[in-house]
Amino acid sequence: AGLMSVVMFAAAPTPKDCTACHEVDLAVFEASKHGSMGCVGCHSSITSLPHADKPKPVNCATCHDDQVKAYAKSVHGMARQKGMADSATCQSCHGSAHKIQGASQPTSPVNSKNLADTCGACHSNPEFLAKHKIPFAKPVEAYRLSVHGREVAKGNSSAPSCSNCHGSHDILASKDPKARVNRANVADTCGVCHNDVQAIYADSVHGLAVKRGSNDSPTCTGCHGEHSILAPKEPGSLVNPARVSTVTCGRCHGDERMNSRYDFGDKVPAFQDSFHGLAIRGGQKTAANCAGCHGEHNSLPSADIRSTISPANLQKTCGQCHPGLGDKISQGKVHVRTAGGAEHISVQWIRWAYYALIPMTIGFMLFHNGLDWIAKLRRHKPHHGTGEQLPRMNKMFRITHG
């Protein structure tokens, strides 16, 4: 009996042995991701019972070395090293070590369907945001209302959640050149799902400018938004046909400072005053907008033969709405201001013609009515030919009928 007790004392303790002192739901632990490892799989410094009052801290890197190294360099890990006690740790995201589930499990905190709630524990907390001077207003709430968030909520496993864009253990601040959401990398991040669009954008005037290091040229989030991305058909979308020209394209191309730097000209106000611009403002959803003519992700300079607004391609581009359009469309100006700036000679001739015709028409009408009114005043006595004694109209009628 004494030998058996020595053997039992020397053997590694089982989870059942540990629960004699520690309040851990054994059934939950054994069903968790770590259940098969037993207690000593993580608490490796404990080799026998009773153990030391303060056993060595658990080292996740024993099994998860790559993840721990990535976390140490992340925005969360760096904050933790600087003494920020409320920065996210392994358990902040994955839950209690005794209850950890695989990411594919529906109830896991890091399952894509639950990740917004997990991240939102900090990033939806006004006190946390204010304390750490995080400037983004309600990013998690905006994501939940976005096209991505709604798809994830429906159970679409291919729709992106927080970690798809920001990363998981290796999350970096957006200003970090290596961050997935750094403006230089955003198109590649979005391209993981939208690879066909990313390839087109990369060769566009905007994509090439971003590649050269321009901080002014728009990337995906510059047009579509960040956490609040909506489908183009939704009225609130930044790329909805009714808004894309003024709210999105016009934000840069109509900006005075951007115009002084890149000499965009007055194309935005010219479009707004045009038939197409007025039609859109009037609620016409099928009228041409910036993207309808210049392209969406494939916007190129007009000098590029591949551009939809190249003189060689204008007939095809405009012909999408105006079938049978002749090739003379490329000979005239497209963005023409109706007020201010240089006008095409044809517009000037038409304007001058109206300046002459309108006063001539109104003047002749007044002259004609004036003569008629004077003639009627002169005939205030009975008409000698008919012998009329009573006037057919009183004085007020005669004035109004002038």
Side-chain angles (χ1 to χ4, degrees):
L3 178 62
M4 180 61 70
S5 63
V6 171
V7 171
M8 290 181 65
F9 183 85
T14 65
K16 189 174 182 180
D17 296 331
C18 297
T19 56
C21 297
H22 299 281
E23 294 183 3
V24 175
D25 190 324
L26 192 57
V28 173
F29 170 69
E30 290 179 342
S32 73
K33 197 73 173 177
H34 292 151
S36 61
M37 299 170 59
C39 299
V40 295
C42 294
H43 301 277
S44 56
S45 66
I46 299 175
T47 57
S48 60
L49 296 178
H51 61 73
D53 290 342
K54 291 185 178 181
K56 293 181 180 180
V58 171
N59 184 8
C60 298
T62 303
C63 298
H64 308 286
D65 185 51
D66 291 341
Q67 289 84 353
V68 171
K69 287 180 179 178
Y71 169 80
K73 297 178 181 179
S74 73
V75 66
H76 295 140
M78 294 294 289
R80 194 79 180 178
Q81 293 170 37
K82 293 177 181 178
M84 190 182 294
D86 54 356
S87 180
T89 62
C90 303
Q91 292 192 31
S92 303
C93 300
H94 292 275
S96 169
H98 303 112
K99 301 177 181 179
I100 289 180
Q101 297 176 310
S104 61
Q105 295 296 315
T107 53
S108 169
V110 293
N111 180 279
S112 60
K113 199 170 183 178
N114 305 322
L115 202 52
D117 292 327
T118 301
C119 298
C122 294
H123 292 276
S124 284
N125 185 337
E127 294 180 0
F128 180 88
L129 298 177
K131 177 182 177 181
H132 299 293
K133 296 180 174 59
I134 298 176
F136 302 104
K138 301 180 180 179
V140 178
E141 292 82 348
Y143 167 78
R144 287 195 178 103
L145 296 174
S146 73
V147 64
H148 294 146
R150 282 175 285 158
E151 284 300 309
V152 168
K154 291 177 184 177
N156 185 347
S157 59
S158 62
S161 191
C162 308
S163 60
N164 295 102
C165 300
H166 293 274
S168 50
H169 303 96
D170 57 346
I171 295 176
L172 299 173
S174 59
K175 63 182 179 181
D176 191 309
K178 296 180 181 178
R180 298 186 188 186
V181 292
N182 181 277
R183 62 175 286 103
N185 305 324
V186 164
D188 291 330
T189 299
C190 298
V192 173
C193 296
H194 307 282
N195 56 341
D196 52 339
V197 173
Q198 190 274 334
I200 296 172
Y201 166 81
D203 198 33
S204 72
V205 65
H206 296 141
L208 292 173
V210 169
K211 190 175 181 180
R212 291 193 299 268
S214 171
N215 289 323
D216 293 327
S217 185
T219 186
C220 310
T221 53
C223 297
H224 294 272
E226 297 170 340
H227 300 97
S228 57
I229 296 175
L230 299 175
K233 64 181 180 180
E234 296 183 73
S237 171
L238 296 174
V239 294
N240 180 275
R243 307 186 71 200
V244 67
S245 296
T246 52
V247 176
T248 302
C249 300
R251 183 168 63 90
C252 293
H253 290 269
D255 181 76
E256 185 176 345
R257 287 165 294 185
M258 294 276 279
N259 193 11
S260 65
R261 178 178 296 180
Y262 300 107
D263 193 24
F264 290 140
D266 56 359
K267 296 180 178 60
V268 172
F271 171 79
Q272 291 174 338
D273 291 341
S274 71
F275 172 82
H276 294 142
L278 293 172
I280 289 176
R281 284 156 61 184
Q284 177 58 258
K285 297 180 180 180
T286 59
N289 53 48
C290 300
C293 300
H294 292 267
E296 297 166 347
H297 304 99
N298 60 327
S299 183
L300 294 167
S302 59
D304 192 317
I305 190 63
R306 300 171 298 167
S307 172
T308 54
I309 58 168
S310 168
N313 299 324
L314 271 181
Q315 183 178 0
K316 179 181 178 181
T317 300
C318 300
Q320 295 177 41
C321 297
H322 307 282
L325 189 68
D327 57 2
K328 290 185 178 180
I329 184 65
S330 62
Q331 298 177 11
K333 289 185 177 182
V334 177
H335 296 286
V336 180
R337 290 298 305 273
T338 57
E343 292 181 329
H344 192 273
I345 188 64
S346 61
V347 177
Q348 293 180 359
W349 276 106
I350 294 171
R351 188 180 303 281
W352 292 337
Y354 273 101
Y355 284 157
L357 288 173
I358 291 174
M360 286 175 61
T361 303
I362 296 176
F364 179 77
M365 179 189 70
L366 294 175
F367 177 72
H368 173 269
N369 288 2
L371 289 178
D372 185 56
W373 186 64
I374 291 172
K376 288 180 178 179
L377 286 178
R378 296 176 62 183
R379 293 199 302 266
H380 63 278
K381 294 181 179 181
H383 195 280
H384 298 291
T386 61
E388 182 182 6
Q389 296 296 322
L390 296 173
R392 287 176 293 174
M393 292 187 292
N394 62 31
K395 193 173 185 178
M396 182 58 67
F397 276 7
R398 292 191 182 193
I399 292 174
T400 57
H401 283 75

